């Protein structure tokens, strides 16, 4: 595990917010739900988790800024540090009683992600990374998978809700191209977990478009610190801006990017 003051702060905040999510997951049928957009839901559990994370992190690191999925941007007095926080990644899974959801916390320092944490309170799985210190899953060091051929690999993706018009046309072509070449394709429904699973070598590769910084900040660092490659879906390094992500080991990342380019 990473035993730094920063990671202790991040894990303490995640465990506290996670206790609330666990309780709410146990009685999800009674939760208050509102609709943000087509196929896009938010519950009182998302909001409570975000409030806890915000309060704990602001207390431990005063002045840092925030990009919060539900609360938006909170400017800090310290302009070099920004937390990117998804208080409940995988809300749709949560609402359907599927134990595949996570808290995702990424810390950006002067434009670089320097710490990341993905915690699933339903399974008590935690993935953490700090820049230069490696990536860990429940205390064990992790590495991306070694498979070099996509035909033997398991590739994950995200499917936009209700065929989101901006993402859908290109995505359909990409999916059909990857489907014909990959050993298997999965859609778990929580981008932060998809990225963490690439870091842990469970998935060989992953791509998605239309993500936000809070979905991916932590996961991008996990993959890099696990020895993997990540870019946006066009091969650039503007993931936080373009919302596209493509990741895997050196070989699968390259093969996946080629397929996306040709699709
Ligand atoms: C969503 C999940 C999903 C991804 C969507 C995200 P949310 O996050 O990560 O896997 O495909 O693009 O918006 O709304 O459940 O936090
Ligand atoms: Ca959401
Ligand atoms: Ca999310
Ligand atoms: Ca969320």
């Amino acid at each position: 595990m990473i035993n730094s003051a920063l990671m202790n702060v991040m894990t303490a905040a995640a465990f506290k917010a996670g206790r609330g999510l666990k309780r709410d997951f146990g009685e999800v049928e009674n939760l208050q739900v509102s609709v943000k957009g087509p196929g896009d839901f938010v519950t009182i559990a998302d909001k409570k988790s975000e409030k806890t994370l915000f309060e704990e992190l602001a207390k431990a690191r005063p002045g840092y800024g925030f990009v919060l999925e539900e609360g938006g941007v909170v400017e800090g007095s310290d302009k070099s540090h920004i937390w990117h926080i998804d208080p409940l990644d995988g809300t749709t899974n949560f609402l359907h009683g599927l134990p595949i959801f996570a808290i995702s916390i990424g810390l950006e320092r002067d434009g670089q992600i320097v710490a990341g944490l993905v915690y699933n309170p339903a399974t008590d799985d935690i993935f953490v990374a700090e820049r230069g210190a490696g990536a860990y899953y429940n205390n064990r060091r992790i590495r991306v998978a070694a498979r070099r051929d996509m035909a033997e690999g398991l590739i994950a993706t995200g499917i936009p809700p209700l065929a989101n018009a901006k993402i859908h046309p290109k995505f359909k072509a990409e999916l059909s191209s990857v489907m014909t070449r990959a050993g298997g394709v999965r859609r778990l429904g929580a981008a932060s977990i998809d990225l963490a699973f690439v870091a842990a070598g469970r998935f060989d590769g992953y791509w998605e478009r239309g993500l936000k910084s809070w979905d991916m900040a932590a996961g991008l660092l996990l993959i890099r610190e696990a020895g993997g490659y990540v870019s946006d879906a066009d091969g650039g390094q503007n993931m936080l801006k373009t919302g596209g992500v493509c990741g895997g080991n050196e070989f699968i990342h390259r093969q996946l990017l080629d397929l996306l380019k040709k699709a």
Side-chain angles (χ1 to χ4, degrees):
M1 200 71 171
I2 298 173
N3 207 352
S4 70
L6 174 63
M7 198 47 75
N8 290 342
V9 160
M10 289 167 65
T11 46
F15 288 158
K16 185 162 184 190
R19 282 196 289 278
L21 287 180
K22 258 186 222 176
R23 271 196 302 276
D24 287 334
F25 189 57
E27 39 191 281
V28 69
E29 57 287 338
N30 303 321
L31 275 192
Q32 193 190 316
V33 184
S34 27
V35 181
K36 295 207 284 187
D40 190 2
F41 305 100
V42 59
T43 73
I44 193 81
D46 302 62
K47 292 180 184 158
K48 285 194 298 190
S49 172
E50 187 167 281
K51 183 165 183 284
T52 303
L53 295 168
F54 177 75
E55 286 171 357
E56 292 301 307
L57 294 173
K59 194 163 61 185
R61 290 292 184 274
Y64 286 18
F66 286 83
V67 180
L68 303 159
E69 177 177 6
E70 310 307 336
V73 174
V74 180
E75 297 281 349
S77 53
D78 173 345
K79 299 296 175 202
S80 20
H81 289 94
I82 304 169
W83 297 110
H84 295 269
I85 296 185
D86 193 332
L88 171 44
D89 185 37
T91 298
T92 301
N93 286 345
F94 187 91
L95 278 171
H96 287 260
L98 292 173
I100 306 170
F101 57 88
I103 287 166
S104 179
I105 305 175
L107 179 64
E108 181 183 345
R109 177 183 297 141
D110 298 323
Q112 272 182 335
I113 309 296
V114 293
L117 171 156
V118 174
Y119 172 54
N120 180 347
T123 56
D124 256 326
D125 282 327
I126 184 164
F127 300 85
V128 297
E130 245 184 276
R131 195 157 181 262
Y136 293 79
Y137 161 60
N138 293 352
N139 289 325
R140 287 198 308 275
R141 186 93 190 233
I142 47 174
R143 277 201 67 78
V144 290
R147 277 177 287 269
R148 292 182 175 206
D149 184 357
M150 205 191 281
E152 292 164 6
L154 194 53
I155 307 296
T157 188
I159 300 169
L162 297 159
N164 180 311
K166 276 212 298 250
I167 305 168
H168 192 242
K170 174 91 170 121
F171 176 71
K172 253 172 104 176
E174 291 172 349
L175 180 60
S176 108
S177 164
V178 174
M179 274 163 60
T180 57
R181 286 167 180 85
V185 179
R186 296 288 182 273
R187 194 291 192 259
L188 291 188
S192 63
I193 293 184
D194 293 323
L195 291 160
F197 281 12
V198 173
R202 294 176 176 179
F203 288 146
D204 297 278
Y206 163 68
W207 93 103
E208 182 161 357
R209 291 174 191 273
L211 294 177
K212 304 289 188 196
S213 71
W214 52 77
D215 296 309
M216 61 164 102
L220 297 176
L221 185 69
L222 281 167
I223 294 183
R224 283 202 200 103
E225 288 298 322
Y229 282 53
V230 261
S231 65
D232 59 29
D234 306 307
Q237 283 297 313
N238 290 319
M239 294 77 93
L240 297 189
K241 289 207 177 69
T242 62
V245 181
C246 174
N249 69 24
E250 186 185 349
F251 308 97
I252 301 290
H253 174 253
R254 171 64 30 223
Q255 288 165 44
L256 203 45
L257 266 186
D258 284 347
L259 288 183
L260 301 182
K261 203 177 288 169
K262 288 187 205 132

